[in-house]
Amino acid sequence: MAFNTKNEGLNIESAPPILKKNKKKPFLFKLKKNKSLLIMTLPVIVFFFIFSYIPMPGIYLAFIRYNYNQGIFKSPFIGFENFRFLIQSGQLATITINTVLYNLAFILLGNCLQIFVAVLLNEVASARFKKITQTVMFLPYFISAVIVGLLAYNFLNYDYGFLNVMLKKLNLEPLAVYSTPSAWPFIIVLTNLWQGVGYGSIVYFAQITSIDSEIVEAAAIDGVNAFQRIRYIILPWLKPTFILLLLFSLGGVLKGNFGLFYNLVGNNSTLFKTTDIIETFVFRSLMINFNFSMSSAVSLYQSFFGCVLVLFCNWLVKKIEPDYSLF
Amino acid sequence: MFKSLKNMTALLLIVILVLAILTGCSQNAGPGGQPGDKSPSPGGDGPKDVIDTSEFVEVVWYHLGDPPTNDQLDLAAEEWNKILKDKVNAHLKINFIEWADYLTKYNLLLATGENFDMVNTASDWLDMWPNAAKGAFMDITDLLPVYAPQTWASVPEEHWDQCKFNGRIITIPEDQYTQWVNHGFYYRGDWAEEFGITEPIRDWDTLGLYMQKVKDVKGLIPYDVVGSKAHELLDYWFASYTDSIMLEVPGNIFYSKSYDDLYTVYSPIFEDTMVEMAKKMKEWGDAGYWRSDVLNYTGDTREALKAGQTGVDAHHTQTYASLRVEMDEKQPGSNLQMFPVHLQRGNNLIEMSITHGAQSVAARSKNPERALMVYDLMRNDETLYRLLNFGREGVNYVVVNGKRTRPEGFDETAHSFFSNFWGGRMDKFENALPSVRVYDKIGDLYAEYDKYKKPYPYAGFVFDKTPVETEISALNDVKARHVPPIVFGKAGDPEAAVEAFRQELKAAGYDKVLAEIQNQINKWKESRN
């Protein structure tokens, strides 16, 4: 994409002097010159305008004492008072750490597993088996979190759960999963992987299939075995995709998967120590206190630090490998 | 070039953003909806014929409860609308807020600013004061005498005083209807007798014994309760073991000491009784009186009781009165009994506030005048009152020997009728036609209550939570996290759990809120003298 733009905009001359010249050209001229490009980007601009920029003034909610009658812009302004709730509740550290750690686990484990699965799929010779495996792995992605929560409850609950019924039949001690906070990081991460791996591996698999077959053939003639092919051709080939996806997902590192957490854990506060994330906290405080402003304050905190984090990671990537940075 | 294109896009977006903010502002400046906007025309004391009803309007009320699944309400509405059209040139339509997560939906409805005219409210269970503070209800002080003269005249002045927020009336109380909403445990009398418990259960220990037997003899979960019930059970314990009186402060953490010491604010959570509860509940939890995973369980206890699948349920006396009749049908001979929790130690029974049921005009109502006129008729005109509360005679009920009963061929699904009008029921109309669907011996319980009941002492006290809103929110979050595990015995060592709970409350600003409530109570006390 970037190359195309350059060619069209710059005609044939070499880059640096033209860029300078270009800057002096009037705005309208540039507009005219890039007409078709602009038209092509218009739908995206409209999309982000409608869904990301129009709602943005709502951020103001976080700084007011919301009054139904007066609406958002007429309610009294109270500055950072709403943010005090975050600190006052004593949960800020717990929920932030939980959210970040869960997301790191999801992102890192998820991506590694997705790559692993994509590589394995690539090595499978039978096209039919490949299709079936893909479909089966794809399926959990489409199961709604509510159903996942129900499945988990029926599988894990103490009195009648599948797991404990089996354990009792085997004369083993049943496990009180729903009162063991330490078990939940594993359950949640596993569930997330189970849901996401099949879907995520598609991206990597597609990337693998786009490898120039000449390289692979040349390597085969040179006598590389399957492991060497994976190590020296496929994995390096996937590296840019990996970093790109990583960067994208890091932006959401403070955004939790609310559906998954809420449906698995619900209001079981014994587990909150290890399972409470920003989203569930916001939801709960909204449900208990019904205060839009405070919930907005929590969300704003989340978005703000998410943004800072993306900028930081991008800066870091730029330092190490400038080619891979997003912007 | 690529770079400049990006700059341009950024510029474009900034322009768009600025535009968005501007349009956002101007859109919002449009509709007014301030309370008091719709004050009656000057010289509001004029006679009724001055009121202009030439324009036909539809008045919309919101009631709490699951919407009817049959068309009986619509058919009754047709009847009452004929009368309303004649009298005030208006129609009345009733919408419902479903039970599931009702408080959230209720608050959302008020928050969205949807156009409706009246809504059910309550100071103790529907966040009336917080919503009044957020401007959800219209000031009807000046409208009432003109547009709801019968109601205005029938509600005594001291009752109106209890409906005032910042000196203005914001709701109409259901003050002429007797009901008891003190809570208690329901248990099956037939099973208790089978287990050798012949005396009515009047304490938690005997209830525990009963539950143990349900588990041993019947092999059922004795009390198949859901996790969210924890907060109520804590309230029950305090009602049983302390003389405290709950204050209408969000979160149910703060109480006054006793009826003799009304102006000392404290919280029983910091008393020994909290530890005792934690210990007892740990015992019960370990003994399996509820599901091990009660905190994640979201079933329906009452349905389980009706199906004979559990032995205990808990709610208030009013519910008991009708549940008893239903249980006699569904589990014949079950002899459902109630253990009102205050009986543990005797007589800590406070009459409910008259704003347990109330009806308010929504702040954004377009026709508050007509809404009040309709309300006045529905509440005070016997024909309309019956249509609204009992349905159509001959279809939904028949009168036999002066009692309301079901007609021949009554089909529960097709003919059951309810409108959930809980903002203005009247004893005079209810008692004129008592229902056979209410337990006929409920009067015995009422008579017992009447012996020692005490009037609600905090009528008119409205806590202004603005100065400590942050702390209250934080306290509520702490309570939401700690109470369920403690109450269901899932928090490990009871003493340590209670201690952790108390410390987090302290850290969340307990002392500051306590001081603020105490301060406001003192001021209120002074203002009354």
Side-chain angles (χ1 to χ4, degrees):
Chain A
M1 190 66 195
F3 286 111
N4 289 344
T5 328
K6 226 171 208 167
N7 286 342
E8 201 168 313
L10 296 179
N11 296 330
I12 31 164
E13 286 171 70
S14 59
I18 298 285
L19 262 179
K20 267 185 193 159
K21 221 176 176 182
N22 231 356
K23 279 215 161 151
K24 283 173 197 156
K25 284 184 179 166
F27 179 72
L28 275 177
F29 177 80
K30 283 195 272 182
L31 205 67
K32 204 175 159 203
K33 185 118 189 152
N34 298 304
K35 198 171 52 192
S36 48
L37 268 180
L38 279 173
I39 290 172
M40 279 160 73
T41 50
L42 198 65
V44 183
I45 294 173
V46 169
F47 177 87
F48 279 105
F49 170 62
I50 293 176
F51 293 105
S52 301
Y53 286 88
I54 292 185
M56 225 180 239
I59 290 173
Y60 185 60
L61 248 180
F63 302 97
I64 55 170
R65 177 171 292 123
Y66 185 61
N67 184 305
Y68 299 159
N69 247 334
Q70 294 161 321
I72 295 179
F73 294 102
K74 287 185 176 170
S75 293
F77 181 83
I78 52 168
F80 283 90
E81 182 66 23
N82 286 321
F83 291 84
R84 216 157 59 75
F85 166 61
L86 265 177
I87 301 155
Q88 193 77 35
S89 69
Q91 294 300 295
L92 184 62
T94 319
I95 57 174
T96 310
I97 291 171
N98 278 348
T99 315
V100 171
L101 287 184
Y102 271 112
N103 274 313
L104 286 181
F106 292 164
I107 293 166
L108 295 177
L109 285 176
N111 275 299
C112 291
L113 211 62
Q114 283 159 14
I115 292 176
F116 180 68
V117 167
V119 169
L120 286 189
L121 276 176
N122 185 50
E123 300 299 319
V124 169
S126 153
R128 200 161 153 188
F129 181 72
K130 203 186 285 186
K131 277 260 158 7
I132 293 173
T133 338
Q134 257 181 313
T135 315
V136 169
M137 289 187 9
F138 211 52
L139 217 57
Y141 185 78
F142 295 102
I143 300 179
S144 103
V146 180
I147 309 285
V148 174
L150 275 177
L151 285 177
Y153 182 75
N154 283 303
F155 189 78
L156 296 172
N157 87 64
Y158 188 84
D159 300 293
Y160 309 105
F162 175 76
L163 179 74
N164 283 322
V165 171
M166 295 294 277
L167 285 175
K168 278 180 221 165
K169 287 263 188 293
L170 295 168
N171 282 328
L172 293 170
E173 274 294 298
L175 298 170
V177 184
Y178 280 97
S179 41
T180 315
S182 55
W184 283 85
F186 298 99
I187 295 171
I188 289 173
V189 171
L190 274 178
T191 316
N192 184 279
L193 291 180
W194 169 73
Q195 277 209 296
V197 163
Y199 187 81
S201 65
I202 302 288
V203 179
Y204 287 111
F205 186 59
Q207 187 69 11
I208 293 177
T209 49
S210 72
I211 295 179
D212 193 344
S213 56
E214 279 179 30
I215 304 172
V216 182
E217 278 161 25
I221 290 168
D222 283 346
V224 298
N225 61 25
F227 292 106
Q228 284 167 325
R229 184 171 68 237
I230 292 168
R231 168 70 185 79
Y232 294 107
I233 300 175
I234 297 180
L235 290 186
W237 182 257
L238 292 180
K239 196 170 147 197
T241 318
F242 174 70
I243 291 180
L244 191 75
L245 288 179
L246 198 68
L247 272 178
F248 275 140
S249 31
L250 279 179
V253 87
L254 275 171
K255 292 232 182 294
N257 183 345
F258 172 77
L260 182 70
F261 282 78
Y262 183 69
N263 284 296
L264 279 179
V265 179
N267 287 320
N268 185 346
S269 49
T270 24
L271 306 179
F272 283 172
K273 213 169 15 170
T274 56
T275 60
D276 207 13
I277 57 169
I278 298 178
E279 251 81 6
T280 49
F281 178 79
V282 172
F283 177 73
R284 210 171 54 242
S285 51
L286 192 65
M287 293 292 275
I288 305 169
N289 296 311
F290 220 82
N291 191 322
F292 293 130
S293 297
M294 282 179 195
S295 309
S296 304
V298 184
S299 288
L300 185 58
Y301 158 80
Q302 187 181 21
S303 306
F304 180 75
F305 281 95
C307 182
V308 170
L309 207 68
V310 177
L311 293 178
F312 172 74
C313 292
N314 192 61
W315 172 82
L316 204 69
V317 172
K318 220 176 197 165
K319 279 262 142 153
I320 304 165
E321 292 239 34
D323 288 348
Y324 292 151
S325 69
L326 280 175
F327 45 84
Chain B
M1 184 58 218
F2 186 48
K3 207 168 175 184
S4 65
L5 183 76
K6 249 173 63 178
N7 287 340
M8 220 170 65
T9 323
L11 195 78
L12 206 92
L13 286 179
I14 289 167
V15 170
I16 288 168
L17 178 62
V18 170
L19 276 173
I21 293 171
L22 287 178
T23 50
C25 285
S26 60
Q27 266 165 11
N28 214 284
Q34 295 292 327
D37 264 7
K38 309 265 166 65
S39 55
S41 48
D45 283 23
K48 212 170 184 180
D49 50 303
V50 175
I51 298 167
D52 174 26
T53 57
S54 57
E55 190 196 349
F56 172 78
V57 296
E58 185 176 66
V59 170
V60 177
W61 289 3
Y62 266 93
H63 285 175
L64 268 284
D66 293 330
T69 46
N70 56 27
D71 57 355
Q72 292 303 317
L73 183 70
D74 296 334
L75 294 171
E78 265 174 41
E79 302 278 325
W80 75 54
N81 279 336
K82 275 182 217 153
I83 306 174
L84 287 176
K85 175 103 175 87
D86 272 358
K87 292 196 170 175
V88 291
N89 198 22
H91 273 187
L92 165 65
K93 181 173 170 28
I94 295 176
N95 289 341
F96 289 86
I97 301 165
E98 286 167 44
W99 278 133
D101 282 333
Y102 67 90
L103 197 55
T104 314
K105 287 178 189 152
Y106 178 77
N107 282 320
L108 258 180
L109 175 78
L110 296 178
T112 50
E114 189 185 317
N115 269 320
F116 58 95
D117 300 289
M118 286 188 105
V119 65
N120 200 191
T121 188
S123 58
D124 48 355
W125 63 285
L126 280 177
D127 287 353
M128 183 167 98
W129 298 126
N131 278 313
K134 286 175 188 161
F137 305 129
M138 189 179 284
D139 164 17
I140 49 174
T141 320
D142 302 325
L143 297 179
L144 275 168
V146 187
Y147 299 104
Q150 295 186 64
T151 312
W152 175 249
S154 71
V155 176
E157 191 163 347
E158 59 266 30
H159 287 177
W160 285 123
D161 283 344
Q162 298 176 30
C163 302
K164 282 181 180 169
F165 180 75
N166 288 342
R168 309 298 288 175
I169 297 171
I170 49 105
T171 196
I172 305 168
E174 183 182 72
D175 65 332
Q176 285 151 55
Y177 179 67
T178 314
Q179 61 172 337
W180 278 101
V181 292
N182 60 315
H183 282 238
F185 292 103
Y186 312 145
Y187 64 94
R188 291 185 58 153
D190 56 342
W191 288 359
E193 203 176 322
E194 189 185 328
F195 306 149
I197 304 170
T198 45
E199 291 290 306
I201 296 179
R202 288 290 177 260
D203 61 282
W204 289 62
D205 287 335
T206 317
L207 185 71
L209 186 71
Y210 163 82
M211 292 207 273
Q212 185 63 48
K213 293 280 189 185
V214 173
K215 191 174 162 65
D216 296 344
V217 180
K218 302 284 173 190
L220 298 171
I221 299 170
Y223 182 19
D224 202 1
V225 64
V226 296
S228 53
K229 186 86 180 174
H231 298 276
E232 275 179 40
L233 290 177
L234 183 67
D235 300 343
Y236 292 5
W237 183 273
F238 292 155
S240 281
Y241 287 96
T242 71
D243 292 325
S244 61
I245 304 166
M246 193 192 293
L247 295 170
E248 278 177 13
V249 174
N252 295 357
I253 294 172
F254 297 95
Y255 291 70
S256 67
K257 280 261 171 162
S258 71
Y259 208 80
D260 304 319
D261 190 2
L262 285 173
Y263 307 106
T264 308
V265 184
Y266 85 129
S267 176
I269 293 169
F270 287 86
E271 304 288 310
D272 291 341
T273 189
M274 184 72 214
V275 180
E276 276 158 35
M277 177 188 203
K279 283 181 181 160
K280 174 69 82 187
M281 294 301 109
K282 174 102 170 83
E283 227 173 81
W284 284 13
D286 290 348
Y289 292 174
W290 37 74
R291 284 168 194 256
S292 305
D293 299 325
V294 55
L295 298 175
N296 280 75
Y297 179 63
T298 51
D300 189 327
T301 314
R302 193 149 307 146
E303 287 307 317
L305 182 78
K306 286 182 202 163
Q309 293 299 310
T310 191
V312 177
D313 185 18
H315 204 245
H316 56 54
T317 310
Q318 190 78 2
T319 306
Y320 171 66
S322 51
L323 182 64
R324 163 79 200 212
V325 179
E326 210 175 331
M327 274 297 278
D328 284 343
E329 280 166 13
K330 293 203 166 138
Q331 299 290 328
S334 61
N335 188 20
L336 191 76
Q337 296 292 314
M338 178 176 176
F339 155 37
V341 286
H342 67 273
L343 287 178
Q344 170 84 27
R345 287 168 59 258
N347 55 9
N348 184 15
L349 182 68
I350 308 290
E351 274 184 294
M352 57 163 206
S353 125
I354 54 162
T355 47
H356 176 77
Q359 194 102 336
S360 289
V361 177
R364 285 168 195 259
S365 165
K366 288 216 174 89
N367 301 296
E369 303 89 356
R370 213 71 70 82
L372 284 171
M373 290 164 83
V374 168
Y375 177 88
D376 205 35
L377 287 170
M378 296 316 270
R379 175 171 164 139
N380 296 300
D381 180 294
E382 184 150 21
T383 320
L384 286 170
Y385 184 92
R386 286 189 183 181
L387 273 171
L388 178 62
N389 291 286
F390 311 150
R392 291 173 301 152
E393 187 165 0
V395 182
N396 306 116
Y397 71 98
V398 285
V399 181
V400 178
N401 302 331
K403 281 196 161 197
R404 223 165 357 118
T405 184
R406 291 176 166 179
E408 286 284 319
F410 183 91
D411 174 40
E412 179 85 43
T413 339
H415 299 127
S416 68
F417 173 89
F418 55 86
S419 66
N420 294 358
F421 178 57
W422 297 329
R425 281 170 294 181
M426 304 288 276
D427 272 341
K428 63 175 176 185
F429 298 140
E430 297 283 340
N431 294 341
L433 274 186
S435 168
V436 297
R437 301 293 301 165
V438 171
Y439 182 38
D440 49 5
K441 294 204 185 66
I442 198 70
D444 299 351
L445 214 46
Y446 286 178
E448 190 183 334
Y449 293 167
D450 282 340
K451 276 189 255 164
Y452 47 73
K453 68 176 181 192
K454 300 169 193 128
Y456 181 70
Y458 298 107
F461 171 64
V462 180
F463 178 65
D464 172 19
K465 69 171 186 174
T466 330
V468 286
E469 191 159 20
T470 306
E471 284 77 11
I472 287 192
S473 299
L475 287 178
N476 288 347
D477 181 60
V478 173
K479 191 173 178 238
R481 276 185 288 115
H482 283 273
V483 165
I486 291 177
V487 165
F488 290 116
K490 303 294 171 199
D493 174 34
E495 283 184 46
V498 170
E499 195 44 46
F501 178 29
R502 288 173 179 167
Q503 286 194 346
E504 280 202 43
L505 283 176
K506 288 265 186 200
Y510 170 81
D511 292 316
K512 188 175 169 192
V513 180
L514 184 73
E516 180 63 34
I517 299 172
Q518 187 65 63
N519 186 22
Q520 292 193 22
I521 281 265
N522 290 347
K523 277 198 190 133
W524 176 70
K525 182 187 170 191
E526 275 164 33
S527 74
R528 290 208 319 162
N529 292 340

